Amino acid sequence: MTASLATAMEGFTPALPLAVALSGGADSTALLLACARKWPGQVVAVHVHHGLQRAADYFERHCVALCADLGVPLIVRHVDARHAAGESPEEVARTVRYRTLDLAVRAEDGSVRYPSVALAQHADDQVETVLLALSRGAGLPGLAAMPSRRERQGVVFHRPLLSVPGAALRAWLANQGVAHVDDPSNADESLTRNRIRARLLPA
């Protein structure tokens, strides 16, 4: 069953204050905007600069400008997410991103400043994740796909948009008149997830 962004946000009740992972893309921008409107003054954005492509600096500048317009504090973390020979670039970037998000919502002594982190994966991402797992011969854990909620050492990571199609998020954002960036790496079909998105899902 699919849902609208409004319906998904009605059922989203995280502990506050809330951190929203912000790439600058349409999905995370829509999530940040919806959260900032629902909980004004209780939301912070976290942008991870992976340093993997030239556009990364532009992504950061866009996020800075967006958060200034929304009146939302922004935490920026620069990381080195390059992969070694034989490693999956997608897996390395994902691991570094989640580790960085976890550190960003904690104080220097490790205590939790933001007990909840919202991630913008949506229904299309969920389908891609299952197909990717199947392509790699995953068993039941792979078929379970991404959970809507996962707790790690006092911080709860939420995915409130897993029932919302990506097209619905982009349409909603366009109606709000809020700009977003498009990641050029999404067109790189050397990455398995992108091949699934570009070739398998349309078929």
Side-chain angles (χ1 to χ4, degrees):
M1 183 179 71
T2 60
S4 67
L5 175 60
T7 300
M9 290 302 298
E10 286 176 5
F12 182 35
T13 56
L16 300 175
L18 170 70
V20 177
L22 176 67
S23 69
D27 311 327
S28 63
T29 299
L31 179 60
L32 176 64
L33 180 58
C35 289
R37 288 179 176 175
K38 185 172 182 178
W39 299 291
Q42 293 291 314
V43 175
V44 63
V46 182
H47 176 70
V48 180
H49 184 303
H50 293 84
L52 294 176
Q53 53 181 307
R54 291 182 179 179
D57 290 338
Y58 168 65
F59 297 162
E60 179 182 339
R61 292 194 298 271
H62 172 81
C63 291
V64 169
L66 172 66
C67 289
D69 288 343
L70 297 179
V72 172
L74 174 65
I75 300 170
V76 177
R77 292 288 185 268
H78 287 242
V79 298
D80 183 353
R82 290 174 294 182
H83 65 286
E87 291 183 324
S88 163
E90 299 159 284
E91 181 65 22
V92 170
R94 187 188 72 84
T95 299
V96 170
R97 180 165 60 253
Y98 282 107
R99 183 189 311 128
T100 304
L101 287 171
D102 182 75
L103 292 173
V105 300
R106 299 179 187 273
E108 290 186 3
D109 63 0
S111 60
V112 176
R113 298 170 60 202
Y114 302 97
S116 303
V117 178
L119 308 170
Q121 284 102 344
H122 50 70
D124 301 359
D125 296 321
Q126 186 72 297
V127 173
E128 293 167 8
T129 297
V130 172
L131 292 174
L132 185 63
L134 289 173
S135 73
R136 293 172 174 170
L140 291 178
L143 292 176
M146 293 183 288
S148 61
R149 183 184 186 278
R150 178 176 67 86
E151 183 171 352
R152 183 183 183 278
Q153 297 180 351
V155 176
V156 180
F157 290 82
H158 297 270
R159 294 184 176 93
L161 306 181
L162 288 179
S163 62
V164 185
L169 292 174
R170 291 187 291 273
W172 180 85
L173 191 60
N175 287 335
Q176 308 306 306
V178 177
H180 67 276
V181 296
D182 290 311
D183 187 343
S185 70
N186 288 335
D188 180 4
E189 292 190 18
S190 68
L191 302 176
T192 306
R193 181 180 288 273
N194 289 347
R195 289 199 302 277
I196 289 174
R197 181 180 304 143
R199 302 182 187 183
L200 184 57
L201 290 185

